[in-house]
Amino acid sequence: MQHNTELSVAEQDDISRNKTVAVLAYILFFLPLLVAKGSRYAMYHANQGLILLLAGLVANVVLGLIPVIGWLLLPVANLAVFVLAVLGMVSAARGERRPMPLIGGLELIKAPS
């Protein structure tokens, strides 16, 4: 993550204009796709939100199919998804691009150039 002093004026402007949308991307990943298509910052967080949603869905399906142990681990997985969503929101609110652990390096939504 670059410090805000190292960012260009255009990047700082993009961040300040789209912080709210970036925070909301962890609740509704598609919101930036509708209201901030041209924002690299909002699209980064939309991508992180989508990856988190998919990881949560996979964890719920897989652990839901595994008797007893899976059912016991399901609340832990859901808590982890919740914690990662809150951390993502905090990162977005601070104007940072911080990838989530393990899954944050994936790119499903391309940011505009």
Side-chain angles (χ1 to χ4, degrees), residues 46-64:
N47 181 67
Q48 294 289 293
L50 174 59
I51 291 168
L52 187 57
L53 172 68
L54 293 175
L57 287 173
V58 168
N60 275 274
V61 168
V62 170
L63 293 174

Side-chain angles (χ1 to χ4, degrees), residues 8-50:
S8 72
V9 174
E11 287 173 309
Q12 288 177 345
D13 186 46
D14 179 28
I15 290 169
S16 65
R17 276 194 334 250
N18 294 296
K19 271 187 186 179
T20 303
V21 174
V23 169
L24 293 174
Y26 290 91
I27 299 169
L28 300 168
F29 79 89
F30 58 86
L31 187 63
L33 299 170
L34 300 174
V35 298
K37 264 187 194 171
S39 169
R40 290 177 53 84
Y41 185 70
M43 288 301 156
Y44 174 82
H45 288 286
N47 181 67
Q48 294 289 293
L50 174 59

Side-chain angles (χ1 to χ4, degrees), residues 63-64 66-75:
L63 293 174
I66 301 171
V68 185
I69 294 173
W71 302 334
L72 293 173
L73 292 177
L74 198 53

